[in-house]
Amino acid sequence: MPADTHSQRVLDLASQKGLLRAGDLDAIDAPRVVLTRLTAAGLLDRVGRGLYRLPNHPASEHESLVVVAAKAPQAVFCLLTALQFHGLTTQLPRQVWIAMPRGCHAPRIDWPPIRMTQMTGDAHAAGIEEHRHDGVTLRVHSAAKTVVDCFKHRNKIGLDVAMEALKDAWMARKASADDLWRYAKVCRVANVMRPYMEVVAHESSRGLAPMSA
């Protein structure tokens, strides 16, 4: 197959997928050297190791998450990054926070900068949602699980951030009392969260029944 045909097929695939991985070329039988040639010609932008997109392709709101998920599909976005994803914080984290099972090594990613938190068993696996962006599956802890994680890791991110997340999630109805309490038990922070949840419930016009152990 002529080189120019390979190039056009790669460009068509990049247009279709948004974010193109080097491994995607196997499906169209195109050699990976085409990526180098197209990048040198300014027809593709390299956004990470083995990741490319068209120069005129609008950057996704979650582009940094898409890059991480493409390189480390087992990663779960958590804590500050998950708060931002769910619209529960005004902070813009300088790193992408990911959760990995205890004992895992941090994935090798040159961009964006990542911060890995190790979680064990159900504390890692509970509350994972999947969202598709640019043809990539993003695994993100749910709003309720993220709020609970913020209390679990309050020494890393600050108790004020955890409290703000709890209030925002409750007022925006993005986390129910049942979900919060269930994940609090899973993460073993029920006793820590109880007084804060009672305060939020008291301040809320909707109210909340007293929490039971």
Side-chain angles (χ1 to χ4, degrees):
M1 183 178 291
D4 58 346
T5 303
H6 280 311
S7 297
Q8 189 58 54
R9 293 181 70 181
V10 170
L11 293 174
D12 289 344
L13 187 61
S15 177
Q16 172 190 338
K17 296 182 70 66
L19 189 70
L20 183 68
R21 288 168 283 193
D24 294 335
L25 270 62
D26 296 341
I28 58 173
D29 296 322
R32 300 191 182 190
V33 68
V34 176
L35 295 171
T36 303
R37 188 162 57 241
L38 291 174
T39 302
L43 297 176
L44 281 181
D45 284 342
R46 182 178 180 273
V47 296
R49 186 177 300 156
L51 297 170
Y52 304 82
R53 64 176 170 146
L54 296 174
N56 60 352
H57 189 275
S60 166
E61 175 188 2
H62 302 299
E63 181 177 39
S64 60
L65 276 61
V66 170
V67 170
V68 173
K71 300 295 290 184
Q74 74 277 26
V76 181
F77 299 106
C78 65
L79 294 169
L80 298 184
T81 295
L83 286 182
Q84 183 185 26
F85 185 90
H86 292 298
L88 295 176
T89 181
T90 56
Q91 298 189 38
L92 297 175
R94 291 172 292 181
Q95 299 166 302
V96 173
W97 288 69
I98 61 172
M100 300 282 283
R102 188 169 299 280
C104 288
H105 296 292
R108 297 181 61 185
I109 299 175
D110 49 3
W111 182 89
I114 62 172
R115 180 161 179 178
M116 185 182 79
T117 296
Q118 294 187 342
M119 299 183 182
T120 59
D122 291 342
H124 175 265
I128 295 177
E129 300 176 347
E130 293 189 348
H131 302 264
R132 292 285 292 180
H133 287 277
D134 288 341
V136 176
T137 298
L138 307 183
R139 304 173 75 223
V140 188
H141 277 140
S142 69
K145 174 59 163 55
T146 299
V147 169
V148 171
D149 282 339
C150 287
F151 280 92
K152 177 75 172 182
H153 299 276
R154 60 195 179 280
N155 291 337
K156 293 181 181 178
I157 67 171
L159 182 59
D160 57 333
V161 174
M163 272 300 301
E164 178 187 20
L166 174 60
K167 291 179 179 179
D168 289 350
W170 181 253
M171 297 305 296
R173 301 183 182 227
K174 292 186 176 181
S176 70
D178 287 344
D179 286 341
L180 288 167
W181 192 236
R182 182 172 72 254
Y183 294 131
K185 288 182 176 181
V186 169
C187 295
R188 300 180 181 179
V189 287
N191 290 335
V192 172
M193 289 190 65
R194 182 192 300 274
Y196 298 104
M197 291 191 66
E198 289 176 349
V199 168
V200 170
H202 179 72
E203 294 176 349
S204 171
S205 60
R206 289 179 284 117
L208 175 68
M211 307 208 57
S212 58

